[in-house]
Each structure stands twice: as structure tokens, then as C-alpha cells.
Amino acid sequence: MELLKDRIMKDGKVRKGNVLKVDSFLNHQMDIKLFEEIGKEFKRRFSDCDITKILTIESSGIGIACIAAQSFGVPVVFAKKNTTKNIDGALYSAQIESFTHGKTYNVIVSRDYLKPEDNILIIDDFLAKGKALVGLSQIVKKSGATLCGAGIVIEKGFQEGGKILRDAGMRIESLAIIKEMTDDGKIIFE
Ligand code: 5GP
């Protein structure tokens, strides 16, 4: 998606540890016009799927998922990062190691909001090592719903997540795939 790549080139900042900062339009301040275009592009790419629900993870996936959901006309469910245990069985849960914080979170979704008849599209801002997507897809599996695929805004193609998950059969549509980020701040797309 050229509009997105241009914006990453203009405003993205390469940080230590293979982190791309896009706080000025995606992760802190949010450019809603751009989000609308991102949402339309996800809808175009998944137009062959009868999506009934979008699943994302708090916090930075929520804004993108909500705007995308307007193009799909479906609700958004976000997985919550939680510290309490799943005692009463009313929740689906998974362990997700955060790429940016290094912590492992127990993430939960209420059983009320994912049903076996749902066709799920996962949406997230970044794909790096794939931990978030693995955890979210485990939750979808536990619910008995069908996972149609994942829509990712920025995939860091030089990290392993995309390859591992595509090899495992997951459909992933990434709107910008970064091939390389150099120490002096250059960003090269696939
Ligand atoms: P993964 O689980 O694929 O290793 O990492 C994806 C998650 O980590 C995303 O939900 C995103 O919030 C965060 N993340 C991974 N890489 C980056 C990055 O380069 N920049 C930012 N801002 N977030 C990232």
C-alpha cells in the first residue's frame, strides 16, 4: 500500500532492537484518514471472506481494528491483557510474549464474544516474531470459530513471524513489508 509506505518513509523512526517507531500516525497519535484507507484495503484484500468479527489485542491494535470494522460492518473484540487466572471457564486465554516490552501476558477473551459460527479476521499493527498472532489464533481455535486470516499494517519481514505462520498455513495480508532497517535509519521495503 503505497500511501502507507510513503508515510512510514516520511515519519517512521528506526530504534534500537529492531523497533520501528510510528507514534506520529499509528501508535500514539492516530491519523484516522490513513486508518480509513487501511481499513478499505483490508476489506478489499479479504473481500472473498464472510468476516463476522474482527479480533485484535490491546492496546495499539484497537484503533486500527475499529476503523477497519466500519468497512466490514462487523463488531471488534479485543483480547485483554490480564493478570488473573481463568478460574470459572468463562474466558478463552493464551500466553503472549510482548515484543516491545519483553513481558509475557495472559490475554483473555470472554466466551460470550467468540462463537463457533464466527468467521474471524485478526488485525494488528505490527508483525515481528509472530507471538501476538499465535496467541490470538489459539484463542480463535479454542472458541471453535473459523480463522479467515490476519491483516497486519506493518510486517517486519526480516523477523521470523511471517514466514513461520505462513508456512503453518495462516493467511496473512500485510500492507507494508519491511525487508531491512539499517542502523543509520534507512527503511527498505520488499
Ligand atoms: P510479535 O508478537 O509479532 O513478535 O510482535 C507484534 C506486536 O509487538 C505488535 O502487537 C506490536 O504492538 C509490537 N511490535 C512489534 N514490533 C514492533 C515495532 O517495530 N514497533 C512497534 N511500535 N511495535 C512493535
Side-chain angles (χ1 to χ4, degrees), residues 1 4-5 41-42 45-46 124-127 133 150-157 162 166 171-178 190:
M1 185 180 168
L4 173 65
K5 290 185 192 170
E41 183 62 16
F42 283 140
R45 293 191 187 206
F46 286 98
D124 205 4
D125 57 346
F126 274 89
L127 172 56
L133 277 191
I152 299 292
V153 181
I154 304 173
E155 176 175 343
K156 292 182 290 179
R166 287 187 183 94
R171 176 174 175 188
I172 302 175
E173 297 282 348
S174 298
L175 305 188
I177 303 182
I178 298 174
E190 272 185 6

Side-chain angles (χ1 to χ4, degrees), residues 17-23 26-27 57-58 60-61 81 96-100 124-134 156 159 161 165 181:
N18 284 328
V19 171
L20 178 68
K21 275 269 184 195
V22 283
D23 279 3
L26 192 71
N27 286 143
I57 180 167
E58 69 174 350
S60 45
K81 292 171 181 162
I96 296 182
E97 188 188 325
S98 159
F99 178 81
T100 39
D124 205 4
D125 57 346
F126 274 89
L127 172 56
K129 295 184 172 178
K131 309 280 177 165
L133 277 191
V134 167
K156 292 182 290 179
Q159 294 181 297
L165 289 166
M181 299 195 311

Side-chain angles (χ1 to χ4, degrees), residues 80-113:
K80 297 187 178 197
K81 292 171 181 162
N82 198 289
T83 47
T84 55
K85 292 243 163 65
N86 177 6
I87 306 161
D88 60 3
L91 304 167
Y92 300 116
S93 67
Q95 301 287 313
I96 296 182
E97 188 188 325
S98 159
F99 178 81
T100 39
H101 300 109
K103 276 196 243 171
T104 297
Y105 295 96
N106 186 43
V107 305
I108 53 144
V109 173
S110 164
R111 285 181 182 245
D112 289 343
Y113 305 127

Side-chain angles (χ1 to χ4, degrees), residues 1-12 25 34 176 189:
M1 185 180 168
E2 290 310 312
L3 182 70
L4 173 65
K5 290 185 192 170
D6 290 348
R7 191 61 181 273
I8 295 168
M9 288 300 253
K10 185 168 155 276
D11 293 330
F25 63 95
L34 177 65
F189 293 101

